[in-house]
Amino acid sequence: MESHKITIRVRYQETDGQGIVHHGNYLTYFEKARIECLRDIGISYRDVENAGLFLVVAKAELNYYQPAYFDDELEIETKVLSSKGAAIVHQYTITRGEDIIMSGTTRVGCLTKDGKVTRVPKWLGGKGEFQKPV
Amino acid sequence: MESHKITIRVRYQETDGQGIVHHGNYLTYFEKARIECLRDIGISYRDVENAGLFLVVAKAELNYYQPAYFDDELEIETKVLSSKGAAIVHQYTITRGEDIIMSGTTRVGCLTKDGKVTRVPKWLGGKGEFQKPV
Amino acid sequence: MESHKITIRVRYQETDGQGIVHHGNYLTYFEKARIECLRDIGISYRDVENAGLFLVVAKAELNYYQPAYFDDELEIETKVLSSKGAAIVHQYTITRGEDIIMSGTTRVGCLTKDGKVTRVPKWLGGKGEFQKPV
Amino acid sequence: MESHKITIRVRYQETDGQGIVHHGNYLTYFEKARIECLRDIGISYRDVENAGLFLVVAKAELNYYQPAYFDDELEIETKVLSSKGAAIVHQYTITRGEDIIMSGTTRVGCLTKDGKVTRVPKWLGGKGEFQKPV
């Protein structure tokens, strides 16, 4: 399976009083990873929304193994586990060098502007007809 | 001059690696204070936006005197320094018991849905005609 | 099983460009709920850390059913599903009136100041000996 | 006067219900800019704190001219206006192409681990003796 990698550097603001990355921020990192995956296939998520398709998180699972610290360079590896029906499932693994910091999955649903569920379009790996943004 | 007071309790997520409230969060506290000021005169900011009026921060000044910590109960006192033309100026003082934690001011501008500057309406203390949300 | 309820009001800053609460913020809401559960049994989490015990999130699952909006009053109901060994499992259900917005679980591990896993102490429902903060 | 430039891309989580970057996030962007300025002269802020010196924001001013949107590439230009006594004053200008989005200044104070004010050390442009982290 293909995977996509990005690197982020932990911001000071993302740490909390325990001196580590606050566990909620990883969902923001995942979001950034999904957006960069899209860009990698030539799609800006901004155009997706402008075209009337919204990708909304329906489920998330996060497993934390080791803390990450301010200024750490973290690598996020993202795989698309599934892209069918109205949902895309991504899997993420975040590492710092040899250390696995955490991993997780999200399930995002495809919605139209008026909130109706719609099939994942072909250009996102599914069978739906929703037109690709240009 | 009248003032309005709210109390907030510092969330763990709002602290940073220095073990204190991250300085950026005070703008979120100010925002909450402005919204509660409005509620106090019977207006939900949600209705304001639904009615087509947007209050957008144009300027902010923040002075930090002492750190605040997780679980602190902070009092935010808010005064409207000015409400004329197209802008409202608020002043904030944040205290923990006798200690002054920080103070600041913001200048929010009134914009219509299409981004045009509009005079502060009467129900917000100005001279404009923008209709009060119901 | 006993449960504990808190109410929070959605802040403007917690919404995102989709006009709904950003999905990452629910982990911050869960954190607040855990802290208020502790307070309800007479314990400040600040004192817990000062006594040298750290509760660190090891796993989280989130299921999103409906969007929440700025200024919504959300009720968070929290139950302790398990408190044994070195971990406490909480379950959360977030509602707005009759609507279920989302639900989730977290597993927090007990660590000492030097990062060693330690059994959940008796005053947190476990069998460990870690002294209760005063 | 020398300046230092970084580019950041706006994250989805940084937008709010108005569909624009929430005004509080610019303080996080400023913070990142300061940290990258330090890195540019060979200093990691992590090492600064490990060496016992803390740079704490004492004052901030922000002027907002135009909204920034999700996925915008913003350039942050940072200048050190002053570095003497116990404080460093930075000036920031954030642009998107030809558009000036906002500008601001911060005043950060130098503190020792026990919270005492100390003169800006020579390696940060001041006259203080605090040892440079290695």
Side-chain angles (χ1 to χ4, degrees):
Chain A
M1 186 187 307
E2 259 181 279
S3 75
H4 183 261
K5 291 179 183 179
I6 64 166
T7 300
I8 59 140
R9 194 185 275 277
V10 173
R11 298 177 179 177
Y12 203 91
Q13 184 271 330
E14 292 165 354
T15 59
D16 66 16
Q18 290 183 343
I20 63 175
V21 173
H22 187 266
H23 61 283
N25 289 318
Y26 291 102
L27 285 171
T28 296
Y29 295 170
F30 288 178
E31 184 171 64
K32 185 169 177 57
R34 285 196 302 280
I35 284 161
E36 297 305 322
C37 280
L38 277 181
R39 197 186 319 280
D40 203 49
I41 58 168
I43 299 165
S44 162
Y45 180 64
R46 178 150 63 173
D47 295 333
V48 173
E49 288 208 346
N50 287 342
L53 188 69
F54 293 80
L55 300 177
V56 177
V57 177
K59 190 173 172 55
E61 289 188 33
L62 305 101
N63 294 285
Y64 304 93
Y65 306 114
Q66 287 191 55
Y69 301 97
F70 162 64
D71 223 33
D72 278 354
E73 277 196 312
L74 303 179
E75 189 179 79
I76 309 177
E77 183 175 4
T78 308
K79 293 177 185 176
V80 175
L81 291 193
S82 155
S83 184
K84 60 183 182 183
I88 309 170
V89 178
H90 292 87
Q91 184 186 59
Y92 316 84
T93 310
I94 301 188
T95 50
R96 181 188 53 220
E98 297 297 303
D99 296 330
I100 298 183
I101 301 298
M102 60 91 65
S103 66
T105 59
T106 57
R107 189 174 176 278
V108 298
C110 290
L111 299 182
T112 60
K113 199 174 277 185
D114 45 335
K116 284 189 186 148
V117 173
T118 188
R119 292 206 296 176
V120 176
K122 280 175 194 148
W123 46 273
L124 285 175
K127 295 179 172 176
E129 300 296 332
F130 201 95
Q131 204 178 337
K132 185 172 176 170
V134 282
Chain B
M1 187 187 306
E2 261 181 279
S3 75
H4 183 260
K5 291 179 183 179
I6 64 166
T7 300
I8 59 140
R9 194 185 275 279
V10 173
R11 298 176 179 179
Y12 203 91
Q13 183 271 332
E14 293 164 354
T15 59
D16 66 17
Q18 290 183 343
I20 63 175
V21 173
H22 187 266
H23 62 283
N25 289 319
Y26 291 102
L27 285 170
T28 296
Y29 296 170
F30 288 179
E31 184 172 64
K32 184 169 177 58
R34 285 196 302 280
I35 285 161
E36 298 304 322
C37 281
L38 277 182
R39 197 186 319 280
D40 203 49
I41 57 168
I43 298 166
S44 162
Y45 179 65
R46 177 150 63 173
D47 295 333
V48 173
E49 288 207 347
N50 287 343
L53 188 69
F54 293 80
L55 300 177
V56 176
V57 177
K59 189 173 173 54
E61 290 188 32
L62 306 100
N63 294 284
Y64 305 93
Y65 305 114
Q66 288 191 54
Y69 300 97
F70 162 64
D71 223 33
D72 278 354
E73 276 196 313
L74 303 179
E75 189 179 77
I76 310 178
E77 182 175 4
T78 309
K79 293 177 184 175
V80 175
L81 289 193
S82 154
S83 183
K84 60 182 182 184
I88 308 171
V89 178
H90 292 87
Q91 185 187 58
Y92 315 84
T93 309
I94 301 189
T95 51
R96 181 188 53 220
E98 297 298 303
D99 295 330
I100 297 183
I101 301 299
M102 61 89 66
S103 65
T105 58
T106 57
R107 189 175 175 277
V108 298
C110 291
L111 299 182
T112 61
K113 200 174 274 185
D114 45 335
K116 283 189 187 146
V117 172
T118 189
R119 291 206 296 176
V120 175
K122 280 175 195 148
W123 46 273
L124 284 176
K127 295 181 173 176
E129 300 297 331
F130 202 94
Q131 204 179 337
K132 185 171 175 171
V134 283
Chain C
M1 189 187 306
E2 260 181 279
S3 75
H4 183 259
K5 291 179 182 178
I6 64 167
T7 301
I8 59 139
R9 194 184 276 277
V10 173
R11 299 177 179 178
Y12 203 91
Q13 182 271 330
E14 292 165 353
T15 59
D16 66 17
Q18 290 184 341
I20 63 175
V21 173
H22 187 267
H23 62 283
N25 290 317
Y26 292 103
L27 285 170
T28 296
Y29 295 171
F30 288 179
E31 184 172 65
K32 185 170 175 56
R34 285 196 302 280
I35 285 161
E36 297 305 322
C37 280
L38 276 183
R39 198 186 318 281
D40 203 48
I41 57 166
I43 297 165
S44 162
Y45 179 64
R46 179 151 62 173
D47 295 333
V48 172
E49 288 207 346
N50 287 343
L53 188 69
F54 293 80
L55 300 176
V56 177
V57 177
K59 189 174 173 55
E61 289 188 34
L62 305 101
N63 294 285
Y64 305 92
Y65 306 113
Q66 288 192 55
Y69 301 96
F70 162 63
D71 222 32
D72 277 355
E73 277 196 312
L74 303 179
E75 190 179 80
I76 310 178
E77 182 175 4
T78 309
K79 292 177 185 175
V80 175
L81 290 193
S82 153
S83 183
K84 60 182 181 184
I88 308 171
V89 178
H90 292 87
Q91 184 186 59
Y92 315 84
T93 310
I94 300 188
T95 51
R96 181 188 53 220
E98 297 297 303
D99 296 331
I100 297 182
I101 301 300
M102 61 90 65
S103 65
T105 58
T106 57
R107 189 173 176 278
V108 297
C110 292
L111 298 182
T112 60
K113 199 174 276 184
D114 45 334
K116 284 191 187 147
V117 173
T118 188
R119 291 207 296 175
V120 176
K122 280 175 194 148
W123 45 273
L124 285 175
K127 295 181 174 174
E129 300 297 332
F130 200 94
Q131 203 178 340
K132 185 172 177 171
V134 283
Chain D
M1 189 186 306
E2 261 182 279
S3 75
H4 184 259
K5 291 179 182 179
I6 65 166
T7 301
I8 59 139
R9 193 185 276 277
V10 173
R11 299 177 178 178
Y12 203 92
Q13 183 271 329
E14 293 164 354
T15 60
D16 65 18
Q18 290 184 343
I20 62 175
V21 172
H22 187 266
H23 62 282
N25 289 318
Y26 291 102
L27 285 171
T28 296
Y29 295 171
F30 288 179
E31 184 173 64
K32 184 171 176 57
R34 285 196 301 279
I35 285 161
E36 297 305 322
C37 280
L38 277 183
R39 198 187 316 283
D40 203 48
I41 58 166
I43 297 165
S44 162
Y45 180 64
R46 178 151 61 173
D47 295 333
V48 173
E49 288 207 348
N50 287 342
L53 188 69
F54 294 80
L55 300 176
V56 177
V57 177
K59 189 173 172 56
E61 289 189 34
L62 305 101
N63 294 284
Y64 305 93
Y65 307 113
Q66 288 192 54
Y69 301 98
F70 162 64
D71 223 32
D72 278 354
E73 277 196 312
L74 303 179
E75 189 179 80
I76 310 178
E77 182 176 3
T78 308
K79 292 177 186 175
V80 175
L81 291 193
S82 154
S83 182
K84 60 182 180 183
I88 308 171
V89 178
H90 292 86
Q91 184 186 58
Y92 316 84
T93 310
I94 301 188
T95 51
R96 181 188 53 220
E98 297 297 303
D99 296 330
I100 298 183
I101 301 299
M102 62 89 66
S103 65
T105 58
T106 56
R107 188 174 176 278
V108 298
C110 291
L111 298 182
T112 60
K113 199 174 276 183
D114 45 334
K116 284 192 185 144
V117 173
T118 187
R119 291 206 297 175
V120 176
K122 279 175 195 149
W123 46 273
L124 285 175
K127 294 182 174 174
E129 300 297 332
F130 201 94
Q131 203 179 340
K132 185 172 176 169
V134 283

